[in-house]
């Protein structure tokens, strides 16, 4: 065999030259066949936000189709429809704090000077933000000597005025709102207060204010979590986080009225099991393993770790349906609704691989899921809704049984067969959504804060961020004024 290293061969006879030519011919034909085989194979499409779980920001560098974005204007892709007219005169007038009346002194057209007694007036309203004036109160506490014991006595502090604390609770609430809801970093927040309120605070002083807010809302955390655990439908999602430069995960457990955030170093199933349940003790584990006895109040979940050499037992104390994506941490939950938006994106990616091979299994499955979502929205207007649901399931099962020669399609079909019971619960219970968009929206607020503020500097800072963010998101969902809720946390439970 010819090795293409060193100097080229130098045959001495005609027979040696012919042998070299023949070997080169065979090698060239082999390389040509290999090149033809590789060119005939379908190249995998690039992953984007349209066919995977990658964020939409990835499309800015390569386009939604996986190719570099076109900087020229493409009029064919513009949204069609009627052009809305300019909105005029719709601004709500505010109650004025002062008024100015301006009379006519002359005609601007001809210059004629005259006065008028007309009662016709045009109104123009201008709004200005007044300078922020700090409310600074000096508290004087009487000091004297007890005539009986001769010891120094000082008047007690009011409950809302702790000793050695210069910043009041309203300022604590404002700092927490601006940092964890409006996502203003500490350095810029200090600069803002110095410029607009003439209040010079260090970053350490702001962190102390946030810690006081955390202690103020701490009593509501268990109530928020209990509201989520007892809900008929709840959602969960997670996103990456940074704590002191080390990768962590921010978990969100939520309903339409509550949000509970946990920042942990793990992305494993142990986190949701400990948040929404508890770990079994030794006696409960023995009773479950020997006699199959389960504690009351939930579902026993057994997780095998370290190649089944270690088994962990949890009591999942949730009776409702969990709506989540396909992350393996949620696989042990019995009542679950898989996010169809995630499944449709994955099927879109697999359908692109199938396209040039003449297969349509993933595209057909994607169409069934899209039809199912549409059917769920029309449940009250559909004449034969139960029959339509049964037809959806028959179509889906028929596509799952179709043979395929592509490894990606085989893997997708196997995964869908394993998760078959978690795909269509929303068709039979209208309070169950087909996607986990609610959890994605709650997570997005944490992503924005992470991108702007860079995560947390320490574990106590991460716990502080999780607690206050949980409370603020819950207050917003319940329609409660955030600043008022941070001062009186219990009012979020007084709303209907």
């Amino acid at each position: 065999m010819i090795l293409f290293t060193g100097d080229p061969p130098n045959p001495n006879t005609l027979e040696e030259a012919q042998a070299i030519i023949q070997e080169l011919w065979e090698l060239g034909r082999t390389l040509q066949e290999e090149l033809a085989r590789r060119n005939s194979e379908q190249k995998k499409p690039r992953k984007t936000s349209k066919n995977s779980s990658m964020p939409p920001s990835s499309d800015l560098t390569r386009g939604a189709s996986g190719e570099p974005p076109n900087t020229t204007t493409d009029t064919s892709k513009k949204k069609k429809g009627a052009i809305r007219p300019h909105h005029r005169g719709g601004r709500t007038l505010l109650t004025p704090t002062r008024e100015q009346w301006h009379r006519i002194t002359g005609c601007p057209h001809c210059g004629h000077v005259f006065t008028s007694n007309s009662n016709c007036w045009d109104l123009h309203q201008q709004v200005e933000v007044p300078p922020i004036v700090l409310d600074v109160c000096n508290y004087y506490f009487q000091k004297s000597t007890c005539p009986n014991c001769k010891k120094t006595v000082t008047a007690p502090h009011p409950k809302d005025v702790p000793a050695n604390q210069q910043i009041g609770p309203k300022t604590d609430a404002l700092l927490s709102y601006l940092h964890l809801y409006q996502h203003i970093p500490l350095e810029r927040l200090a600069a803002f207060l110095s410029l607009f309120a003439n209040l010079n605070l260090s970053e350490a002083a702001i962190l102390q204010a946030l810690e006081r807010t955390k202690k103020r809302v701490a009593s509501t955390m268990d109530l928020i979590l209990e509201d989520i655990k007892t809900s008929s439908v709840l959602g969960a999602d997670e996103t990456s986080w940074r704590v002191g430069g080390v990768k962590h995960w921010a978990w969100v457990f939520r309903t339409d009225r509550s949000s509970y955030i946990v920042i942990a170093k793990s992305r494993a199933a142990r986190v949701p099991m400990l948040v929404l349940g508890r770990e079994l003790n030794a006696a409960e584990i023995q009773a479950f393993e020997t006699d199959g006895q389960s504690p009351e109040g939930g579902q026993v979940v057994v997780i095998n770790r370290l190649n089944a050499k270690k088994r962990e037992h949890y009591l999942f104390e949730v009776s409702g349906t969990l709506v989540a994506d396909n992350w393996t941490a949620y696989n042990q939950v019995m009542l679950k609704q898989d996010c169809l938006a995630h499944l449709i994106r994955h099927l879109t990616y697999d359908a692109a691989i199938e396209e040039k091979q003449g297969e349509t299994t993933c595209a057909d499955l994607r169409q069934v899921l899209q039809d199912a979502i549409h059917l769920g929205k029309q449940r009250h207007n559909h004449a034969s809704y139960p029959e339509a649901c049964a037809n959806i399931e028959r179509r889906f099962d028929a596509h799952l049984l179709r043979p395929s020669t592509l490894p990606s399609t085989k893997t997708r079909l196997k995964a869908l067969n394993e998760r078959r019971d978690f795909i269509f619960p929303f068709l039979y219970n209208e309070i169950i959504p087909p996607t986990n968009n609610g959890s994605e929206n709650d997570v997005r607020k944490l992503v924005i804060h992470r991108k702007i503020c860079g995560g947390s500097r320490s574990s106590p800072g991460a716990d502080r961020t999780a607690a206050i963010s949980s409370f603020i998101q819950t207050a917003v969902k319940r329609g409660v004024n955030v600043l008022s809720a941070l001062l009186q946390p219990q009012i979020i439970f007084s709303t209907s």
Side-chain angles (χ1 to χ4, degrees):
M1 179 179 180
I2 298 178
L3 298 177
F4 293 91
T5 58
D7 296 331
N10 186 18
N12 296 322
T13 63
L14 179 61
E15 290 77 8
E16 291 180 0
Q18 289 177 345
I20 293 175
I21 292 173
Q22 182 65 28
E23 190 172 355
L24 289 173
W25 178 266
E26 295 293 336
L27 180 60
R29 186 170 62 181
T30 302
L31 293 175
Q32 187 177 20
E33 292 175 354
E34 176 67 17
L35 181 61
R37 185 186 68 81
R38 293 192 177 187
N39 289 336
S40 64
E41 290 182 350
Q42 170 66 26
K43 294 182 179 179
K44 290 186 177 181
R46 300 181 69 175
K47 289 189 175 183
T48 66
S49 63
K50 303 297 183 181
N51 59 20
S52 70
S53 297
M54 296 187 67
S57 58
S58 63
D59 299 338
L60 298 177
T61 56
R62 52 178 147 188
S65 62
E67 301 299 329
N70 186 8
T71 56
T72 60
T73 303
D74 188 357
T75 57
S76 64
K77 295 183 180 180
K78 287 187 176 181
K79 186 181 292 186
K80 297 180 181 180
I83 300 176
R84 289 187 177 185
H86 180 65
H87 186 66
R88 297 179 183 273
R91 182 173 297 172
T92 303
L93 293 177
L94 303 177
T95 302
T97 56
R98 57 191 178 93
E99 293 179 343
Q100 290 186 11
W101 298 80
H102 297 269
R103 292 186 174 275
I104 296 174
T105 59
C107 178
H109 305 289
C110 64
H112 177 66
V113 178
F114 72 100
T115 59
S116 174
N117 294 323
S118 171
N119 289 324
C120 182
W121 299 85
D122 275 347
L123 173 63
H124 169 71
Q125 190 173 77
Q126 186 180 66
V127 180
E128 285 285 1
V129 178
I132 299 177
V133 179
L134 298 178
D135 180 20
V136 181
C137 180
N138 287 342
Y139 292 88
Y140 296 95
F141 300 95
Q142 189 179 26
K143 201 173 181 181
S144 183
T145 301
C146 176
N148 184 34
C149 64
K150 308 302 180 182
K151 293 184 178 180
T152 302
V153 179
T154 306
H157 283 245
K159 292 182 178 180
D160 58 342
V161 184
N164 302 322
Q165 178 181 322
Q166 185 179 11
I167 301 175
K170 292 183 180 179
T171 307
D172 289 348
L174 178 63
L175 293 173
S176 302
Y177 171 79
L178 293 177
H179 179 60
L180 292 172
Y181 189 72
Q182 299 298 341
H183 313 298
I184 302 179
L186 298 178
E187 182 180 0
R188 290 170 54 190
L189 183 55
F192 170 81
L193 294 174
S194 177
L195 179 63
F196 288 95
N198 197 26
L199 177 61
N200 296 317
L201 295 178
S202 64
E203 295 184 20
I206 297 176
L207 290 176
Q208 291 175 1
L210 297 178
E211 185 64 27
R212 290 192 293 271
T213 302
K214 176 198 169 186
K215 294 179 180 179
R216 193 174 294 115
V217 303
S219 60
T220 64
M221 291 297 102
D222 290 340
L223 298 175
I224 292 175
L225 181 58
E226 186 64 23
D227 179 69
I228 294 173
K229 291 169 67 174
T230 57
S231 176
S232 299
V233 179
L234 64 155
D237 203 0
E238 71 288 331
T239 185
S240 60
W241 194 261
R242 307 289 291 182
V243 178
V246 179
K247 188 171 185 178
H248 282 59
W249 295 93
W251 297 75
V252 175
F253 305 93
R254 52 92 56 194
T255 65
D256 291 337
R257 288 177 50 82
S258 301
S259 292
Y260 189 84
I261 299 170
V262 175
I263 298 178
K265 199 171 184 179
S266 173
R267 200 188 180 191
R270 178 179 176 84
V271 177
M273 292 301 158
L274 289 178
V275 173
L276 301 176
R278 63 178 177 85
E279 195 167 6
L280 299 185
N281 56 42
E284 291 173 329
I285 293 175
Q286 184 177 4
F288 177 78
E289 293 287 354
T290 56
D291 303 329
Q293 297 180 1
S294 301
E296 295 182 358
Q299 165 202 348
V300 175
V301 176
V302 181
I303 300 176
N304 296 324
R305 299 187 63 187
L306 301 177
N307 297 325
K309 294 181 181 179
K310 182 179 180 181
R311 291 161 59 87
E312 297 179 350
H313 298 73
Y314 300 93
L315 184 66
F316 191 65
E317 300 172 326
V318 172
S319 59
T321 300
L322 176 66
V323 183
D325 54 22
N326 305 323
W327 179 236
T328 56
Y330 312 113
N331 286 352
Q332 304 294 333
V333 181
M334 294 179 62
L335 296 178
K336 183 174 180 292
Q337 167 67 59
D338 275 353
C339 175
L340 297 197
H342 282 78
L343 291 179
I344 288 173
R345 286 197 295 266
H346 296 325
L347 289 171
T348 299
Y349 180 80
D350 295 331
I353 299 177
E354 287 183 331
E355 187 176 1
K356 290 189 177 181
Q357 299 298 323
E359 294 188 18
T360 61
T361 302
C362 291
D364 293 338
L365 287 169
R366 177 185 60 188
Q367 186 60 50
V368 174
L369 296 182
Q370 292 173 341
D371 293 344
I373 294 175
H374 179 72
L375 176 62
K377 295 178 180 179
Q378 302 295 325
R379 69 177 73 231
H380 296 297
N381 301 323
H382 203 284
S384 56
Y385 182 74
E387 291 79 2
C389 293
N391 183 47
I392 287 286
E393 299 216 39
R394 282 194 298 269
R395 289 170 55 196
F396 191 81
D397 292 335
H399 294 318
L400 289 181
L401 297 176
R402 289 165 60 176
S404 177
T405 58
L406 293 175
S408 59
T409 302
K410 291 180 179 179
T411 302
R412 184 64 57 198
L413 293 178
K414 180 181 178 182
L416 291 176
N417 273 297
E418 293 174 350
R419 313 181 69 85
R420 174 63 179 82
D421 295 338
F422 304 144
I423 295 178
F424 296 117
F426 76 97
L427 288 177
Y428 306 100
N429 190 343
E430 63 179 336
I431 67 173
I432 300 177
T435 68
N436 69 332
N437 288 346
S439 301
E440 297 279 354
N441 290 335
D442 286 4
V443 161
R444 189 172 295 113
K445 300 176 180 62
L446 294 173
V447 174
I448 294 173
H449 188 81
R450 183 196 70 211
K451 289 182 177 292
I452 296 177
C453 302
S456 306
R457 299 178 181 179
S458 62
S459 295
D463 295 339
R464 181 170 55 239
T465 298
I468 301 176
S469 298
S470 300
F471 182 84
I472 290 178
Q473 288 194 23
T474 301
V476 172
K477 289 180 177 181
R478 301 186 180 206
V480 181
N481 182 280
V482 175
L483 293 178
S484 300
L486 289 172
L487 291 173
Q488 299 177 343
Q490 295 299 328
I491 66 173
I492 66 171
F493 300 108
S494 62
T495 58
S496 58

